[in-house]
Amino acid sequence: AVGPGSAATESDMTEQTQPDPGAPDDGESRFESALNRLETELDLSGCTRAVLLMPTPWFSARTSQLPFKSEAKIAQILPLELQPGLPLEAEPWITDFKRREKGGTVFSLSCPARVIRRHFQALKDRGIQPTMILPRGFAAPAALLKQRKEIRDFIFLDMADGEISLAGFVDRCPMAVRTFDTTRNPCPDLEMELKRMILGLIQKTG
């Protein structure tokens, strides 16, 4: 599964990160190099499962309004809804989603299939079974939601080397994500970005 939703296969406040078509290949090379280095320094024979965190900008995030409650029906219709807006429309994408019960808003994350397959294969070649993929900016919020059942509405700020992510949740469901690549651009005005996200969430969900 990709993202914080169910298995399979995401308006003005559509929060869409545009993956750099050249970035995944560079990232894959770094990923292989990192795995090779780990193998020389650690015994990975006992590591059989892993959660894979990938750069958030490699994902395209969308919010959609669909008149369905059935996850099977959403999984069937959602790819058709998303296809015209995907940055690399011609290549296959893998999508996962989360539906907010109130209002029926569907949040989805999509990633090029080739990127996921190559990362999965690199792990499988070493006897490691990937169990989940998450954008790096969603890892900490996912853990927070698991630990704090009472938390429903919040914005999570994740600051990592080279990447800053803002993820907005309403009713424990992701509703928006904004990512900033600080290796290429100066650090954004976080106070302004937080205000923009809060206003967008209020406008979208009430």
Side-chain angles (χ1 to χ4, degrees):
V2 180
S6 54
T9 148
E10 174 202 185
S11 76
D12 321 52
M13 199 189 112
T14 295
E15 298 291 346
Q16 183 163 353
T17 43
Q18 301 287 347
D20 179 349
D25 292 326
D26 297 337
E28 286 153 16
S29 300
R30 292 195 298 271
F31 187 65
E32 285 278 1
S33 298
L35 285 176
N36 290 334
R37 181 172 180 179
L38 278 175
E39 286 183 304
T40 63
E41 298 181 359
L42 299 173
D43 179 9
L44 299 182
S45 60
C47 180
T48 59
R49 294 180 178 273
V51 174
L52 182 58
L53 304 183
M54 295 169 58
T56 310
W58 291 4
F59 292 81
S60 176
R62 294 279 302 278
T63 52
S64 308
Q65 290 290 337
L66 296 177
F68 310 110
K69 292 185 178 180
S70 165
E71 290 192 353
K73 188 67 174 179
I74 294 173
Q76 179 183 4
I77 300 299
L78 189 59
L80 303 176
E81 178 85 10
L82 297 178
Q83 188 175 16
L86 291 175
L88 307 175
E89 187 178 345
E91 71 170 284
W93 288 65
I94 294 177
T95 300
D96 197 12
F97 65 88
K98 177 75 173 177
R99 180 181 178 274
R100 183 187 176 216
E101 290 298 326
K102 182 179 178 181
T105 303
V106 176
F107 178 85
S108 63
L109 288 168
S110 305
C111 185
R114 63 182 172 85
V115 176
I116 292 176
R117 289 180 184 134
R118 288 179 186 176
H119 280 74
F120 266 42
Q121 192 60 50
L123 290 170
K124 286 184 177 180
D125 288 345
R126 294 161 174 84
I128 302 172
Q129 176 64 43
T131 58
M132 185 185 299
I133 284 185
L134 281 173
R136 187 166 61 183
F138 275 87
L144 179 66
L145 285 169
K146 186 175 182 179
Q147 294 176 1
R148 301 283 300 276
K149 303 297 185 183
E150 77 280 9
I151 294 179
R152 303 199 63 81
D153 306 328
F154 65 96
I155 292 177
F156 196 95
L157 170 63
D158 185 90
M159 302 182 71
D161 290 341
E163 179 183 316
I164 295 176
S165 296
L166 289 169
F169 290 75
V170 177
D171 292 332
R172 299 179 62 83
C173 181
M175 284 287 108
V177 58
R178 291 184 64 82
T179 304
F180 308 94
D181 183 349
T182 54
T183 63
R184 303 184 184 187
N185 303 299
C187 183
D189 183 338
L190 291 179
E191 182 179 356
M192 180 61 67
E193 295 298 337
L194 280 167
K195 288 179 179 178
R196 288 178 58 189
M197 179 169 282
I198 291 170
L199 289 173
L201 288 171
I202 291 173
Q203 181 182 14
K204 191 166 195 64
T205 65

